[in-house]
Amino acid sequence: MKRKLVMATLSLSLAFSTYTVSAETLSSIKEKKEQNRSEQHKKENELQDNHAEQDEIVTQIEELKSSIDKTIKEISNKKDSIKETKASIEKLKKEIDVLEKRIKERDELLKERVSSMYESGGAVNYLDVILGAKDFGDFLDRVFALNVIAEQDKAILEEHKQDKAAVEEKKGKVESELSSLNNELNDLENLNQKLSDQKKQQNKLLAQLQVEENHIHEDMMELKEKNELLSAQEAAIKAEIARAKKEEEERKKREAAARAAAEAAAAKAKADAAARAKSSSNSSSSRPVSPPPAPTPDPAPVYRDFIFPSQGIITSNFGYRSSGMHYGMDIAKGGSTVPIVAAASGTVSKAYYSSSYGNVVYINHYINGQLYTTIYAHMRSTPAVRSGQSVSQGTFLGYQGNTGASRGQHLHFELHKGPWNGSKSNAVDPRPYIQ
């Protein structure tokens, strides 16, 4: 009676402990999911801000592009104006050449006139012309002729002066216009360069925002994937606890049946021995009869909580290495079909393709009141099990492969004492558990 009371108390204690552990585990998973959802909300806000910035920059780039197009058109027009002005200059040069030729000819004529006047005595020459008249009519003709010559000289000088002024004016005007056009062209080209630099800078900023957007999407996908894993794990833990409970109950039933059978066998053996003793006491023989030997119990089955999940050699252990923390161990063996099996009985929480793990299986195990999670990564092809499926120790999961972030065919095996989480804080070295 006392033994039965102790066993009942122990069972209640274990049941209460199991409930407490599972409740704490599920509570921590829910808390982590809430944290991820909060982080997802932040990322969504970041994404909205990112899109708003991108829209603003795209608008600025379009405005800059419009300004650049306008400036390029103005530069083209200005170059056309400069081309026309240069053509006008070439035309003006020819006109100036003609003017300068005429000026040179007048210079020569005036020089001859001055030289003639100097050689003949200047004004005396005019007096000689007048006094040398034959009669009054000839006198008038000579005076008129002298007036005409004087007027011509005056006209030549005036024209000479005007031509020189015109040449200087045209030269100054064209050179000023050309200088102004070149300055405007230079300003436009500087503006175009400035606008192009701004556009280049905005494009660079836009590219950075697009990279940032991709990172936000990746973070959101990672958070979504983590929450999906946590949700699947939450359901798997509940199923695994139920499975482990059922298995425990069945084990207890088997043990009870075995005890009852053993007790019945012992009672029968005792009754048989008593019957034989009574029979032998009535016989004439005085020789004592030995009781039959007790039945030898079957040997207890050898059972390990975890077994090696695949064949091969361990190429990388749990711990830090050059690329960072390695949260599991790698098992590798040559050959195209190296099987991978479940290290312990449990419930599959997730079986899918991950960008980092490749084809991967997550299994939750509830062993002796402790929750464990095992991970089997880089499988060759789609896992042979599905999410929510109950598996026994040794169940085939797939083959060693090289999918995801992997370098060569192998199995990356992780063991977490507790539920899986994104920070992998529950990861432990699998070696002590499977040796």
Side-chain angles (χ1 to χ4, degrees), residues 1 48 91 110 165 219-220 255 262 267 290 319 360 377 380 409:
M1 182 69 183
Q48 286 179 356
K91 185 180 176 183
L110 288 170
D219 290 343
M220 288 177 71
E255 288 178 354
S290 301
V360 60
R380 179 177 292 274
Q409 176 179 298

Side-chain angles (χ1 to χ4, degrees), residues 2 7 16 92 104 117 142 147-148 164 173 176 181 188 190 197 221 241 260 268 272 276 281 294 299 311 401 405:
K2 188 176 179 182
M7 289 299 292
F16 180 74
L92 184 60
K104 187 177 179 183
M117 289 170 67
R142 290 189 178 210
N147 285 334
V148 168
K164 278 190 172 183
K173 185 178 178 182
S176 174
L181 287 169
L188 286 169
N190 287 337
D197 290 343
M221 288 298 292
I241 291 171
K268 186 177 181 303
D272 289 346
R276 282 195 298 273
S281 65
Q311 298 173 351

Side-chain angles (χ1 to χ4, degrees), residues 19 37 52 57 88 147 180 209 228 241 251 291 305 338 356 387 417:
Y19 173 78
R37 286 194 193 99
I57 288 172
S88 298
N147 285 334
S180 176
L209 285 169
E228 286 175 353
I241 291 171
R251 184 185 65 79
D305 290 340
V338 182
S356 56
S387 299
K417 194 172 183 180

Side-chain angles (χ1 to χ4, degrees), residues 340-392:
I340 298 167
V341 298
S345 298
T347 302
V348 178
S349 60
K350 197 77 172 169
Y352 74 121
Y353 184 86
S354 159
S355 59
S356 56
Y357 280 150
N359 292 307
V360 60
V361 173
Y362 289 70
I363 302 179
N364 289 118
H365 316 271
Y366 213 74
I367 301 170
N368 301 325
Q370 172 65 52
L371 176 71
Y372 296 92
T373 306
T374 53
I375 298 173
Y376 311 78
H378 309 311
M379 291 184 180
R380 179 177 292 274
S381 54
T382 304
V385 292
R386 66 185 184 282
S387 299
Q389 179 179 337
S390 290
V391 295
S392 300

